[in-house]
Amino acid sequence: MTPLTFSPEITNAQQERMTASLFNHHLLIVGQTGSGKTTTTLTLLSQLQKRNQTAIILDPTGEYSKLPNTITYRLGDNCYFEAGKLTAKQLLESVQLPVQPLLVQKLRQAITDLQLQHNIVGQTGIYHRLGKSIADHQYYLRQLGNWSSDYQVALLFQQLIEEFTVPALDERADYSLLGQQYDRKAINRAWPQLIALQECLGSTAFRTLFDTDRHPGTMKSELNFVLKMFLHHASQHRTLVIDLSLLKHYEGSQRLLISLLLKQILRCRLADNAGFPVNVVIDEAHRYLPKNEQDLADNGIFQLLREGRKLDLKMLLTTQSPLDLPPRLRSQFNHLIVHRLLDPAEVHCLPGDWRLPDAAKFEVGQAALCLFGNHPQKVRVNLPAWWDKNA
Ligand SMILES: Nc1ncnc2c1ncn2[C@@H]1O[C@H](COP(=O)(O)OP(=O)(O)OP(=O)(O)O)[C@@H](O)[C@H]1O
Ligand SMILES: [Mg+2]
């Protein structure tokens, strides 16, 4: 079964050419809810599999687990995200806590100290600052490299308390030490924030995300490592699904995670372009974009759209209304599939000078295919062959 049915006057050769060129550029699929975006994406993914092309699906809802012939990494089941890959600010963002300058600074210090304890001192437990000489501390710091980012997230709260150590307040003060006593007043002032952070990091979703309670004997892979492996070695199984549905009630956390994973994909490609094209898929992408234009440049979705093409990385995004996407991002798309859209303003804002058939009258699964340099074509999206068996 071909993925798309064209109108009868389009020759087979034209159909084949248009279907093939769908994957040459970034592709945006738009349409109101229930118009067929996810189904179309699944159809296109099946087509990519037939063409032996690689795809990575970042799946925040778990909808793509029904796609056959995939390797699936489900956050919480067989993969986790290394907390050490997050800066203090990102860690707070991942748990959706408002960023307080004092806490960011203490958290930054606590993360470094736990990294020292885990990777340099090589012992379990927290890194004790009471009585530790500044010279020893600096000696450890010099040894901390990029390779040593891993640490025990479960100890963050305890370590944060340790960050409030200060010299003695009287003549016993020894300024060659990191600290001699706890600044209890400062701890009490920061207490509500400390408790809020502990509550977030202690919740099941985040303990699972960061694999806080590692169980010996269970095999979990780190997500950045999974991506690296997948992008380096073209395997027989070319569709990777990263299921982030564990965090489906934490949209802000998913937004951060998706952005970081996309940046990792870009980094891998920049370091070593393994020479095969990769399609990256995100459904309902507008949910995972920053709310304001200023933050767009730092977002992984935007960066991949802008930088990806020359690295053979293409994006397939879906969204209900093109108006939900910032204009700077919309303009990155040369190809579109437009399902039913009721509001003429939505049609009007689409990139390119398309004269679309009346998108408000499209039935479910019907669409206009707008390929760069071609007239829009009315098409019907065919369900993939495995669909019925799956229903
Ligand atoms: N091409 C098609 N052929 C036949 N049925 C379809 C087609 N596309 C979609 N459908 C039917 O319509 C339903 C809704 O489609 P789908 O979930 O793909 O829409 P959507 O645009 O992704 O909606 P949402 O915005 O809610 O995510 C599907 O469950 C499927 O039964
Ligand atoms: Mg959908």
Side-chain angles (χ1 to χ4, degrees):
M1 174 75 87
T2 54
L4 303 172
T5 301
F6 290 77
S7 51
E9 65 269 21
I10 308 293
T11 66
N12 283 348
Q14 283 171 319
Q15 290 186 27
E16 175 54 31
R17 185 180 56 77
M18 282 196 263
T19 312
S21 67
L22 257 177
F23 306 110
N24 291 346
H25 289 278
H26 299 315
L27 172 65
L28 177 66
I29 301 179
V30 295
Q32 68 171 122
T33 180
S35 59
K37 300 178 297 295
T38 302
T39 311
T40 299
T41 309
L42 285 164
T43 300
L44 295 180
L45 283 165
S46 297
Q47 187 64 15
L48 280 172
Q49 289 182 343
K50 264 195 201 151
R51 288 167 190 258
N52 219 10
Q53 283 209 32
T54 302
I56 299 175
I57 305 156
L58 300 185
D59 180 10
T61 55
E63 271 184 288
Y64 286 81
S65 53
K66 59 180 157 197
L67 181 71
N69 307 316
T70 60
I71 311 180
T72 299
Y73 281 89
R74 195 176 130 75
L75 200 62
D77 282 352
N78 55 353
C79 66
Y80 68 98
F81 190 89
E82 190 193 316
K85 297 273 188 286
L86 300 177
T87 63
K89 210 166 158 215
Q90 288 170 334
L91 188 76
L92 289 169
E93 203 183 322
S94 81
V95 293
Q96 302 275 277
L97 273 186
V99 182
Q100 308 274 354
L102 175 76
L103 197 60
V104 178
Q105 187 231 326
K106 293 284 183 208
L107 192 59
R108 199 177 291 136
Q109 236 169 265
I111 290 173
T112 306
D113 285 354
L114 286 175
Q115 286 169 336
L116 289 176
Q117 184 71 4
H118 185 77
N119 301 286
I120 310 298
V121 180
Q123 286 174 10
T124 53
I126 62 163
Y127 181 82
H128 290 287
R129 290 175 80 92
L130 274 186
K132 176 151 291 109
S133 87
I134 293 177
D136 283 352
H137 181 63
Q138 281 177 336
Y139 172 74
Y140 288 146
L141 277 177
R142 281 196 295 276
Q143 295 177 57
L144 198 64
N146 275 344
W147 54 271
S148 42
S149 58
D150 202 11
Y151 68 92
Q152 281 191 278
V153 199
L155 299 178
L156 258 180
F157 178 72
Q158 266 176 281
Q159 184 66 47
L160 268 165
I161 305 289
E162 195 67 16
E163 302 307 321
F164 286 86
T165 50
V166 287
L169 294 174
D170 52 26
E171 65 285 352
R172 280 167 296 175
D174 181 347
Y175 298 112
S176 70
L177 300 177
L178 285 177
Q180 291 167 283
Q181 63 183 42
Y182 293 100
D183 182 348
R184 295 185 196 281
K185 276 192 184 152
I187 295 175
N188 284 8
R189 274 196 303 276
W191 195 247
Q193 292 173 44
L194 289 168
I195 290 292
L197 179 65
Q198 171 63 350
E199 278 174 5
C200 290
L201 288 172
S203 69
T204 310
F206 288 95
R207 289 216 318 272
T208 320
L209 163 65
F210 297 127
D211 197 24
T212 306
D213 334 292
R214 291 179 194 172
H215 299 294
T218 52
M219 248 306 279
K220 285 192 187 178
S221 306
E222 205 282 317
L223 272 180
N224 288 283
F225 180 75
V226 167
L227 285 174
K228 207 163 161 184
M229 285 297 115
F230 197 77
L231 288 161
H232 277 298
H233 308 285
S235 69
Q236 278 303 99
H237 295 284
R238 291 174 195 268
T239 314
L240 173 68
V241 179
I242 298 187
D243 180 339
L244 306 173
S245 58
L246 168 81
L247 295 174
K248 64 174 168 243
H249 302 303
Y250 303 88
E251 212 167 273
S253 317
Q254 287 186 328
R255 188 181 310 140
L256 177 73
L257 211 59
I258 287 175
S259 177
L260 291 172
L261 293 175
L262 292 174
K263 287 182 192 176
Q264 169 73 351
I265 293 176
L266 263 179
R267 244 191 329 269
C268 287
R269 271 280 144 139
L270 277 168
D272 169 26
N273 188 342
F276 54 93
V278 174
N279 298 272
V280 182
V281 178
I282 306 175
D283 206 343
E284 300 289 349
H286 65 278
R287 294 191 193 182
Y288 311 108
L289 285 163
K291 299 281 176 246
N292 58 42
E293 278 265 347
Q294 291 96 301
D295 295 337
L296 199 57
D298 188 45
N299 180 271
I301 298 180
F302 186 65
Q303 287 185 3
L304 205 138
L305 280 170
R306 215 178 34 189
E307 317 283 337
R309 253 176 307 224
K310 49 185 183 283
L311 300 169
D312 240 345
L313 294 169
K314 271 124 223 164
M315 282 207 107
L316 191 166
L317 299 188
T318 87
T319 189
Q320 288 180 14
S321 167
L323 289 170
D324 290 339
L325 302 180
R328 269 205 297 160
L329 189 130
R330 255 184 342 237
S331 64
Q332 298 290 330
F333 291 93
N334 283 334
H335 292 346
L336 301 171
I337 291 181
V338 184
H339 283 289
R340 186 173 156 95
L341 280 182
L342 288 179
D343 183 352
E346 293 176 323
V347 179
H348 197 71
C349 79
L350 290 170
D353 189 17
W354 315 104
R355 303 184 100 246
L356 287 184
D358 189 356
K361 298 206 177 108
F362 287 165
E363 294 163 12
V364 175
Q366 259 188 350
L369 175 67
C370 310
L371 299 177
F372 186 67
N374 291 268
H375 291 299
Q377 297 293 331
K378 212 165 160 183
V379 292
R380 162 157 285 288
V381 178
N382 299 314
L383 295 173
W386 50 264
W387 190 272
D388 283 341
K389 282 177 242 141
N390 214 274

